[in-house]
Every structure is written in structure tokens, then in C-alpha cells.
Amino acid sequence: MGRTRIKICGIRDVDTALVAAECGADAVGLVFVKLSPRFVEPEVAWEIASFLPPFVTSVGLFVNPKPKDVEAAREACPFDLVQLHGQESEPTVRACGPSVIKAIKFDPATIEADFHKWNQVDAIDGILIDGSAGGEGVALDWEALARVTEQSEHPIILAGGLTPENVGEAVRIVQPWAVDVSSGVESERGVKDADLMAAFCDAVREADES
């Protein structure tokens, strides 16, 4: 499988972004959802993205946006990837492309149909599987997901309830292309913890080597 990529989502300032990158994060998530405790203004997001080291990807996260809102945010902060974390329609996903990560909430009864649906959309670069609507720290059934991941034609990004303590097991079971963490590396809601970010990245690397 090679190396599991790591995204730390909900970054709100330059210093935290640089610490995340130093810990080993391959990508940082910038949340453009105003009701989220991790919301960041586009101008601040641009400052964060500007200071990222080479090869660290910036991801703009939206929930049920209008394509014009994504485009406006992209003009203010030219992030590398768009993450759509709501119930966006196929036309909306295409209009927000290219380079979209589409998040879906894991449901054993519908996951195969979800994969088939999104396999048809070329604008998608990856499918993120979450245990909730996002940012709520809810884990999912990794064994059940592992049984169907091959039905996705897009790389799988695993999220939902991941922590430094459990991410190694999740990686070994699901073998995702990447993992995505937010609340699992916070000292309080919306505040990232340097020690937790380092421990999370170390746990992923240990799982890759096992």
C-alpha cells in the first residue's frame, strides 16, 4: 500500500499549520463553514496557505455550497483541493471541480451504492468516508468498510473518530490512501494540540511499517 497520507483539518492559523507540517501532515484543511468552530476567513486561509512548505497540500472544506461561493473563496485563497462535506448533488460536485474530495457518511446499507454513484464523476480525486456529518469525532465500522473499499474507483480517505490511540488499527484494517483528523488532535474544540498531532502522525507511520 505504501505510505498513508495524513490530512489535519480545521487549521486556523499559520503557526498551527507549520507545526502540523513539521509533524508530518501531507495536507491541511481550511474550513469555510461559518457555523463551524474551525471556521477561517478566506483572507486568513490565504495567509496560512502561503506559508505552507512545498508539497503540503491546502484543502478548502465546504458544506452544501453554491459553486459560486466555492469560486469566490478560491479566488481569495487558491487552495489545492475542494472538500465537499454535505449532501451535494452530482451537478454541484462537477461545478465545484476539478480536484474535489467528496465526503460521504458511512452507512453499510448504502455505501456500495454511494461508491457506484460517485465513481461516475470525473471531477472527484478522492472519496472521504466519515462516521458522521463531519468534525464530530464519530468512528465507523472499519471492518465493514474494508470489505467494500475495492468498489470505489477513487482513493479512499478515512475520517471519523480517529485519534493517536486508534488510527494505527484503522490504517491496518482499512488500508486507506489517506486519513483525515480534526477533533482527535484537539485539546479543546477547535484548538489543535501539537503533541496530539505529532502522536497521530507517528501512529500512522508505525502502522505503515507494521
Side-chain angles (χ1 to χ4, degrees):
M1 287 294 296
R3 183 174 67 85
T4 305
R5 275 69 174 178
I6 300 169
K7 173 173 169 274
I8 296 180
C9 198
I11 299 294
R12 298 191 298 164
D13 59 80
V14 170
D15 288 344
T16 303
L18 294 177
V19 171
E22 184 176 339
C23 289
D26 300 282
V28 299
L30 307 167
V31 178
F32 296 106
V33 181
K34 290 191 176 181
L35 295 179
S36 170
R38 304 172 184 96
F39 170 71
V40 62
E41 294 285 355
E43 294 77 13
V44 177
W46 171 234
E47 182 182 13
I48 294 169
S50 298
F51 277 91
L52 289 177
F55 307 120
V56 176
T57 302
S58 57
V59 183
L61 186 149
F62 302 82
V63 175
N64 298 321
K66 295 178 180 178
K68 66 178 182 180
D69 295 332
V70 174
E71 187 57 34
R74 186 185 267 127
E75 289 179 2
C77 174
F79 40 80
D80 301 305
L81 297 168
V82 178
Q83 182 170 325
L84 299 178
H85 222 104
Q87 293 75 49
E88 295 87 5
S89 66
E90 293 172 59
T92 295
V93 171
R94 289 190 175 92
C96 290
S99 301
V100 173
I101 296 171
K102 180 68 186 85
I104 57 178
K105 181 179 177 181
F106 179 73
D107 182 339
T110 61
I111 187 64
E112 294 178 70
D114 287 335
F115 283 151
H116 178 74
K117 172 183 177 179
W118 296 115
N119 282 345
Q120 317 305 313
V121 181
D122 292 338
I124 293 176
D125 281 1
I127 292 289
L128 185 145
I129 313 297
D130 207 333
S132 68
E136 299 174 17
V138 178
L140 54 89
D141 186 336
W142 301 324
E143 296 279 2
L145 174 59
R147 289 193 287 269
V148 297
T149 53
E150 290 186 356
Q151 296 190 37
S152 174
E153 295 178 9
H154 303 297
I156 296 294
I157 303 164
L158 180 63
L162 298 177
T163 67
E165 292 74 29
N166 68 15
V167 70
E169 181 183 6
V171 167
R172 285 187 285 270
I173 292 172
V174 180
Q175 298 185 17
W177 186 82
V179 290
D180 190 337
V181 65
S182 186
S183 62
V185 292
E186 291 180 344
S187 56
E188 59 183 270
R189 193 164 175 80
V191 179
K192 297 294 182 285
D193 182 278
D195 291 337
L196 290 176
M197 289 193 290
F200 185 91
C201 293
D202 288 346
V204 174
R205 297 293 166 249
E206 290 174 9
D208 285 343
E209 295 170 2
S210 64

